Amino acid sequence: MSTLSPAVQIQLGKPLPPEAFLERVYDELHRAEKELNPGRLAGLLVEGKLTWEQLKQYAIHMWWLINEIQKTHGYIYQNCPIETARKELLKNLIVEEGPPGPTHPELYVEYCEKAFGVSRQELESTRPLATTIAARNHILWVALTKSWLEGIAAVIIGGEKGGDKSRDNPLYTMSNALHNRYGISWEALRFFTVHVELEQGEKAEEHGEIGPHLLMQYATTADMQEKVLAAIWDGVMMHQVFFDGIYHHILGQ
């Protein structure tokens, strides 16, 4: 029985076949999201219920999550002992680094500058919330100290919702709301639209779908599958702590 997260105990008894295991992965993701509700702040954004200043503060504090993307993926890559799997992870890491265009954090800076007039210097000088530090350090700890498969589960599945085809891409939904409800230009929203293209276009196998593909291929024992399913909760709980902290900060609740 895995107890990676003290709030979750998962016991399979015997390993699930790859397709059944992937279905269980997304069942666990949806169950965690329903119970923990990490998306209530994003829900207010999508509904157009944030003021412009609240939206700006949301964008500023999101920086502390976006700027850790390469580091967490790098830890997963370095922990992987399987050469063929590392090559797949490297493709994803290269996409995050952006060639031939800017890196994903650079695209996020572009969003903050064009939409809100907030520079990289202002982003980096803003004091992170205590909840931000706790959430960021926890997910880095998981990616660094746990197995590479648990890292995929926490970061790519639990955190980024990678490969989840049961709903609209959350960045697609958010970018449409930012444009239609808040009047932000599509030029300023490249961080969001590039991600949507990567996860739904010809490079989907190298980005959004790489996590579930590797889990199906390498998480084949009952023990590892239990750890992976528990790690999904770690990713979702990290986002709950992170976004709830911003929610209380910008709404004063």
Side-chain angles (χ1 to χ4, degrees), residues 164-228:
D164 186 1
K165 298 179 180 179
S166 67
R167 55 187 164 187
D168 289 337
N169 184 299
L171 292 179
Y172 171 82
T173 303
M174 187 172 289
S175 63
N176 275 281
L178 289 168
H179 178 71
N180 296 327
R181 294 189 180 275
Y182 300 95
I184 298 176
S185 71
W186 286 116
E187 181 185 6
L189 294 171
R190 287 204 304 154
F191 170 82
F192 301 90
T193 57
V194 163
H195 273 83
V196 173
E197 291 169 4
L198 285 173
E199 293 172 13
Q200 296 182 346
E202 60 183 20
K203 287 195 173 183
E205 292 183 0
E206 298 177 8
H207 196 64
E209 296 178 7
I210 191 169
H213 168 74
L214 291 173
L215 290 180
M216 289 176 65
Q217 190 170 358
Y218 294 103
T220 55
T221 67
D223 178 65
M224 181 52 69
Q225 288 181 354
E226 289 170 2
K227 290 178 179 178
V228 163

Side-chain angles (χ1 to χ4, degrees), residues 8 14 25 42 51-52 82-83 93 100 104 113 117 120-121 139 146 155 185 192 194 197 208 220 227 231 234 244:
V8 179
K14 61 181 181 179
V25 162
T51 67
W52 186 256
I82 303 168
E83 182 179 357
L93 191 56
H104 288 190
E113 288 178 336
R120 174 185 285 271
Q121 182 179 4
I139 204 65
K146 299 298 179 178
V155 176
S185 71
F192 301 90
V194 163
E197 291 169 4
T220 55
K227 290 178 179 178
D234 259 306
D244 274 5

